[in-house]
Amino acid sequence: MLRFLVRRLLQAIPTLLILSILVFAWLRSLPGGPAAALLGDKATPEKIADLNHVLGLDQPIFLQYFGFLGRAFTGDFGNSLVSTQPVMGEITTFLPATIELGFTAMLIAVIVGIPAGYLAARYRGGPVDNGVILLSLIGVAVPVFFLGYMMQDLLASPLGLPSQGRQTTGLDATAITNFAILDGIMTSEWDAVWDAIRHLILPAFALATIPLAVITRITRASVLEVLNEDFIRTANSKGLTQPVVRRRHVLRNGLLPVVTTIGLQTGALLGGAVLTERVFNFRGLGFLLAEGIERRDYPRLQALLLFGAVVYVLVNMLVDISYGIIDPRVRVR
Amino acid sequence: MQQLRLTRTRRVALIGLAGALAVSLSACAESKREEGAGGGTGGTMIFGAAGNPKLFDPAFNDEGETFRITRQIFDTLIQNKPGTADLEPSLAEKWESSNEGKTWTFTLKSGVKFSDGTAMDATAVCANFDRWYNMKGAAAQSQMIYYGDVFEGFAKNEGDAAGDPVYKSCEAKDPATAVLNLNKAKGAFPAAFTLPSFAIQSPTAIKQYNGDTVTQSGDSFTYSEYANKHPVGTGPFKFDSWDQAKGEITLSRNDSSPSPAKLDKLIFKVIPDENARKQALKAGDINGYDYPNPADYGLLRNDGEQVLIRPSFNVLYLGINQSGPNAAKLKDPRVRQALAYGINREQFVKSKLAEGSEVATEFVPKVISGYTDDVTKYPYDQQKAKDLLKAAGAEGMTLKFYYPTEVSRPYMPNPADTFTAISEDLKKIGVNIEAHAEPWNGGYKDDVQKFGKQDLHLLGWTGDYNDAGNFVGTFFGREKKEFGFNNPELFSALAAADASPAGDAHAKAYQEVNKKIMDFLPAVPIAYPTPAIVVGPKVKGLVASPLTDERFNTVTVS
């Protein structure tokens, strides 16, 4: 397992280097630039050219890249052009919100998705199955931002749920880790815990829709496939009780592709978080990213996109590892 | 085996947990619990801002979301009378110019202190002027957009700063008298003294927290502790905190201010999405926000919110490029006139813009000194437009019409709508339109202003201070790719108007310029749109300003 891990880590280095080059080149190929966005309405072509000169953006792109890489190795990703704050500091400040939101969304997706998929497969062709298929289709098809706005407009007020931010303004909860719920528990500020949970509900459900739908469908398909396998027939003919067959054979074998999907969807959640965080003003990394793109904030975008790549690589590694745990054959190979 | 697997699962779970903990520890940011609020009675106002502030030193800033905050922390020498663009005393009780506009004497209010307890006197005022003029470093100077524009140069020009400085010296004659000496007269004064970038800051605090240090590393800037955490002025509010994680900037009442606030606290909450701001107001999370969508005015009012219409201080225009793909035709004044006659601006303003908006007859809004009704007008006349095109031999010409996407400006809430309305009108007079839509920050401004690829385009301007030069000087003061014409007579008339000292002669000079412009017709002024600001039913005393110069010292929240 250790060798496997080391090999995967070493593989990640060239991947990240190539990604950093792509990110760097892509940002600089975008029309417009930070200078125009920074100067706003008062930007004249002359002022933009001069600011580009001051920022070094008129230098050859490879010089800019090596400068960036050199500073990045020392942990200096520069300051955001929008907020003027160090980008690394921004990431650590905003990351807990995204983890909180993404974790909750994934939890919803798994808790609801796996049983739903399983039930659909078990009662294949029946009304439960058809209902689940329809709902999961809708879940995949409806854009997150549209759903978000709908939830805000139609659900927030009747349910008495906040549709904005992570915390009621003026609540003044103590921030220790920036994980709102965790902080509230640590300081026994139960008002703050409840407030944070209420703020999470709508955005987490909005963000959960796509992974929920995908997990449901994969679970359903996978369980159906397993149900047709020979070993299930064998298990049944051995006279095992149905609950034992389902738990020990159907579920365990059926979950393998679901785990991969959960891993991949965790990566995709980062993408969904950009829209969800923006719509719900839930200040996490997605929120930072959206603002950065609008303002062509190179330093922030470079750091965030690379950070996203690192997370993606790590998640994929975790998926592989968990694969090995569920299915020992993978390790042997 | 099963036992072993479970242990492994647990181990992975533990590794995951440890990872999460490590992340959370690195994310540690402690925020202090607030002590009890003061004894004020005005309540707390929470205002939804559309964007993050950049920093709190207004000298290095040029954008509205930051100014909205610094306007509450700092005072300028002169200010705009609430709700208008007229001047009134602020830190200076009175001001006068002599030596043909090259000397400005300010008589300061006495006994005013900065919120750090130091004196706001003539020495402090001169320290501010000297600070700006002597600012070193390309990073610092490239960020002083307004100083660079108005004062034209620095003691030592670096970065984008180039030119002969207007500023010469500042003398503190006595604690209450500051005398500003200029190398040349500048028509922008005294109105430009109201610019938030020229707010008077505490020299002591600037020194203590290295306010002059702006460095550039890689492709970004680093500002001082002063600019981020310790701005000190004489305004109605003091800076308390900027919570990045929550996106909240908290100010509290400055009891030593000459214009003290009624509110105990003023919190700016950053909510970039317009719909999200609306939701937050409806839910009572905030007490007001800026840039409501004109389409929502009615709904907001039905909900009991107050939609305050700002008097127009901007202009929307249809740009005409005389060096673009159709240079030969567009150089003919008859063609440009035809375009002006061919647009049904009345109809457009009525159907597409917010209430209170008006048809523009020239390139400065009505409240600006230098506006005149006595200009050539081009009322909607389809037949005349057709005749003019025919006479010029330009019937059936095809024009490249550029318009921006992914943007909403105070002067152009919905660019696509504006484009559609205008191009439909032009088609009716026999002009073929080739539409070019581009994202605002993704090429539109470059293509239009830097490369001049267009025949026609949509753009506008929101004024910074009450001077016509800030509008027409910016548009037509020199040869520009955007309009592609070279009219030395107009350029020199604008330069002369800009150099004429403030007063009746100055206004007259700009009236003459405005007449010339509307005869020459380098572009077609379309409308003076009116942006609004919304506050909830419990908010009293907020005065909407044409310059978005809303000051919260008169506000209470019940």
Side-chain angles (χ1 to χ4, degrees), chain B residues 252-264:
Chain B
S252 61
R253 191 180 49 241
N254 172 17
D255 288 316
S256 70
S257 168
S259 52
K262 293 176 177 164
L263 292 169
D264 307 306

Side-chain angles (χ1 to χ4, degrees), chain A residues 28 31 40-42 47 50 79 84-85 92 95 149 153 167 169 172 175 179 189 283 291 294 331, chain B residues 8 24 27 29 33-34 54 149 160 219-220 228 244 246 269 273 275 279 409 441 445 462 464:
Chain A
R28 276 151 182 79
D41 269 357
K42 316 295 173 194
K47 275 188 188 145
D50 288 326
N79 284 22
T84 74
Q85 302 302 305
T92 49
L95 179 62
Y149 283 136
D153 282 338
Q167 196 184 80
T169 309
D172 251 338
F179 286 95
E189 291 170 35
R283 301 175 67 86
E291 194 183 56
E294 265 162 40
R331 262 177 297 162
Chain B
R8 281 220 173 96
S24 69
R33 183 174 270 282
E34 300 255 346
K54 201 165 113 186
D149 266 2
D160 82 337
D219 38 21
S220 57
N228 282 303
Q244 293 264 357
K246 287 197 218 162
K269 193 175 167 76
D273 186 86
N275 192 55
Q279 294 296 340
R409 309 299 313 155
N441 275 334
K445 289 195 77 181
T462 300
D464 301 305

Side-chain angles (χ1 to χ4, degrees), chain B residues 115-256:
Chain B
S115 62
D116 61 0
T118 57
M120 198 299 301
D121 54 13
T123 314
V125 168
C126 285
N128 274 272
F129 276 101
D130 283 335
R131 173 188 185 224
W132 302 325
Y133 174 63
N134 289 304
M135 196 63 74
K136 289 190 187 73
Q141 290 179 12
S142 75
Q143 294 303 285
M144 296 177 66
I145 304 295
Y146 280 114
Y147 188 81
D149 266 2
V150 173
F151 284 92
E152 298 180 24
F154 297 82
K156 180 175 179 288
N157 288 325
E158 292 172 276
D160 82 337
D164 299 325
V166 170
Y167 176 84
K168 190 173 174 186
S169 66
C170 180
E171 304 159 59
K173 290 257 183 212
D174 58 64
T177 315
V179 179
L180 181 66
N181 299 304
L182 306 178
N183 287 316
K184 64 170 186 178
K186 178 99 182 168
F189 295 129
F193 292 123
T194 63
L195 276 172
S197 282
F198 302 153
I200 303 302
Q201 312 186 44
S202 160
T204 316
I206 290 172
K207 203 169 167 194
Q208 188 180 350
Y209 299 107
N210 302 315
D212 294 347
T213 315
V214 179
T215 53
Q216 181 258 326
S217 142
D219 38 21
S220 57
F221 298 115
T222 304
Y223 295 92
S224 68
E225 216 187 330
Y226 173 80
N228 282 303
K229 289 182 188 155
H230 302 285
V232 175
T234 58
F237 293 93
K238 288 186 288 196
F239 178 83
D240 272 0
S241 64
W242 179 13
D243 186 329
Q244 293 264 357
K246 287 197 218 162
E248 286 173 16
I249 299 94
T250 307
L251 312 182
S252 61
R253 191 180 49 241
N254 172 17
D255 288 316
S256 70

Side-chain angles (χ1 to χ4, degrees), chain A residues 23-32 57 61 64 298 302, chain B residues 219:
Chain A
V23 163
F24 204 83
W26 172 68
L27 281 178
R28 276 151 182 79
S29 73
L30 290 178
L57 294 173
I61 186 164
Q64 293 182 45
Y298 288 174
Q302 278 152 202
Chain B
D219 38 21

